[in-house]
Amino acid sequence: MPESLLERHAQALRLFGERLRAVADDQWDAPTPCTDWSVRDLVNHVAGEQLWVPPLVSEGRTVGEMGDAFSGDVLGEDPAAAWERASAAAHAAFAAPGALDRTVRLSYGPALGSAYCSELTADCVVHTWDLSRAVGADDRLPDGLVEFSIKEVMPYADGLAASGMYAAPLEVPAGANAQTRLLGLLGRRG
């Protein structure tokens, strides 16, 4: 499992990076399916999530210890380069020997490194769709990443809407494809 999880994580990071490189100069302020987020806000969020990984996983630090270290703009003048650095560091932290078996202290409590990696992988997959939609890129997601994300999100999908960070799950038609089901779980209409 750890090897396939790391492969899925790397695949999700690469896919997001590909879609990020498709953002035109005049699209950074464009709206996204994430209410109140522009393209830049969305990319900043996903890059910021990756920045948390090394201190939490490799250094054993807590969210409280880190404070607001990654709040605000983490992209600077070159969002693609900032993404590449953040995603490479996050993947290296998860790929380090024993990292997936470590307990990581997250904002909602302790979790295994593998659970944290799974959560961030699924989040990256869904935000790849958001980014693709926002900039008019191909919004089809690889089947393997979609299936992985469904399995990750399914146990807690109902609670996501209560967090205020996601819309309520949507009903999807019987026989809907996996991507439509994943998006529906997260309140998105594909």
Side-chain angles (χ1 to χ4, degrees):
M1 177 177 159
E3 290 173 359
S4 66
L5 172 56
L6 290 173
E7 290 167 5
R8 293 285 184 219
H9 182 250
Q11 185 183 13
L13 295 174
R14 279 192 308 273
L15 185 63
F16 189 85
E18 288 169 10
R19 302 296 162 78
L20 168 58
R21 286 185 291 282
V23 177
D25 289 341
D26 64 347
Q27 292 180 312
W28 288 101
D29 291 326
T32 70
C34 298
T35 308
D36 298 329
W37 276 358
S38 68
V39 167
R40 187 173 178 93
D41 295 333
L42 173 71
V43 173
N44 192 68
H45 163 75
V46 180
E49 285 187 325
Q50 306 315 310
L51 291 172
W52 283 98
V53 176
L56 297 180
V57 174
S58 301
E59 300 169 22
R61 299 187 65 188
T62 67
V63 172
E65 289 171 344
M66 295 302 298
D68 62 359
F70 304 119
S71 60
D73 179 34
V74 300
L75 299 177
E77 294 296 316
D78 189 347
W83 166 255
E84 292 303 324
R85 285 189 303 274
S87 64
H91 189 71
F94 280 131
L100 296 180
D101 298 322
R102 273 187 211 125
T103 297
V104 181
R105 294 171 292 171
L106 304 172
S107 59
Y108 55 80
L112 280 177
S114 58
Y116 183 37
C117 184
S118 294
E119 177 185 324
L120 288 185
T121 300
D123 193 69
C124 189
V125 169
V126 173
H127 285 318
T128 297
W129 181 84
D130 295 329
L131 180 59
S132 300
R133 273 291 170 106
V135 300
D138 182 2
D139 67 3
R140 289 173 295 169
L141 300 168
D143 293 340
L145 284 176
V146 170
E147 291 295 341
F148 174 89
S149 299
I150 288 173
K151 288 176 187 164
E152 170 60 24
V153 171
M154 185 72 77
Y156 54 83
D158 290 337
L160 291 175
S163 75
M165 295 175 61
Y166 292 86
L170 303 174
E171 285 193 39
V172 296
N177 67 28
Q179 181 168 316
T180 301
R181 290 193 322 272
L182 173 63
L183 297 172
L185 279 173
L186 299 170
R188 290 161 168 84
R189 199 169 301 285

